[in-house]
Amino acid sequence: MKARVDVVLKNGVLDPQGKAINQALHHLGFNQVQDVRQGKLIEIELNETNKDTAMASLKQMAEKLLTNQVIENYKITFQD
Amino acid sequence: MKARVDVVLKNGVLDPQGKAINQALHHLGFNQVQDVRQGKLIEIELNETNKDTAMASLKQMAEKLLTNQVIENYKITFQD
């Protein structure tokens, strides 16, 4: 089973990487860009057939290792 | 209009960050994890109403700045 954990900064948390991308896009002439936020995506291949069990483990992984819950939100989705 | 560019390493490209996460998850007891790949997600807020124009600009942004096409693939999606 293949899953994906999307990790994005919470609203209000400063995102210097996103800001740098935004500025670089403007320098390249993409003036229609208003805001950019950068996050991480983590693709995990699991040896697990039960979706509920997989979801429970993935939540634990996200909270124990993959995200910093003070400043980040996460979303878990399954692929096909 | 809000769009998202997902950037992932091409198959076969070594991913040391993904490997590190994989090992850390095993140390935490998540032995069902088989493989981990890490990528970037970039959320872009665009001042643009036409989806086709937006898609064309986003492709240019992805190819000029956001990705290294030698080692990375990208996927553009629109949000809501």
Side-chain angles (χ1 to χ4, degrees):
Chain A
M1 186 175 292
K2 211 170 175 183
R4 227 181 97 149
V5 184
D6 292 344
V7 182
V8 292
L9 287 169
K10 289 186 179 174
N11 282 334
V13 177
L14 279 182
D15 177 8
Q17 265 185 300
K19 212 161 213 163
I21 295 172
N22 193 348
Q23 283 176 353
L25 287 172
H26 278 263
H27 282 303
L28 289 173
F30 296 107
N31 295 311
Q32 70 274 52
V33 174
Q34 295 192 301
D35 191 35
V36 180
R37 306 276 288 170
Q38 179 169 348
K40 291 180 287 188
L41 67 88
I42 299 154
E43 291 177 333
I44 299 178
E45 179 81 44
L46 278 177
N47 189 5
E48 174 70 69
T49 47
N50 185 304
K51 241 180 189 174
D52 293 336
T53 320
M55 181 54 98
S57 321
L58 287 162
K59 273 188 185 165
Q60 285 197 338
M61 293 178 207
E63 287 168 19
K64 284 189 182 169
L65 182 76
L66 306 176
T67 68
N68 175 354
Q69 288 198 275
V70 178
I71 55 166
E72 291 170 332
N73 287 327
Y74 67 89
K75 201 180 78 184
I76 296 166
T77 44
F78 291 104
Q79 297 181 313
D80 42 76
Chain B
M1 185 176 290
K2 212 172 173 182
R4 227 180 98 149
V5 184
D6 292 343
V7 182
V8 292
L9 288 169
K10 288 186 179 173
N11 282 335
V13 177
L14 278 182
D15 177 8
Q17 265 185 301
K19 212 160 211 166
I21 295 173
N22 193 347
Q23 283 177 352
L25 287 172
H26 278 263
H27 282 304
L28 288 172
F30 296 107
N31 295 310
Q32 70 273 52
V33 175
Q34 294 192 301
D35 190 34
V36 180
R37 305 278 286 170
Q38 179 169 346
K40 292 180 287 188
L41 67 89
I42 298 155
E43 292 176 333
I44 299 179
E45 179 81 44
L46 278 177
N47 189 6
E48 176 66 70
T49 48
N50 184 304
K51 241 178 189 172
D52 293 336
T53 320
M55 181 55 97
S57 320
L58 286 162
K59 272 187 185 164
Q60 284 197 339
M61 293 179 206
E63 286 167 20
K64 285 189 180 171
L65 183 77
L66 305 176
T67 67
N68 174 352
Q69 288 197 276
V70 178
I71 55 166
E72 292 170 332
N73 286 327
Y74 67 90
K75 202 181 77 185
I76 296 166
T77 44
F78 290 104
Q79 296 183 314
D80 46 76

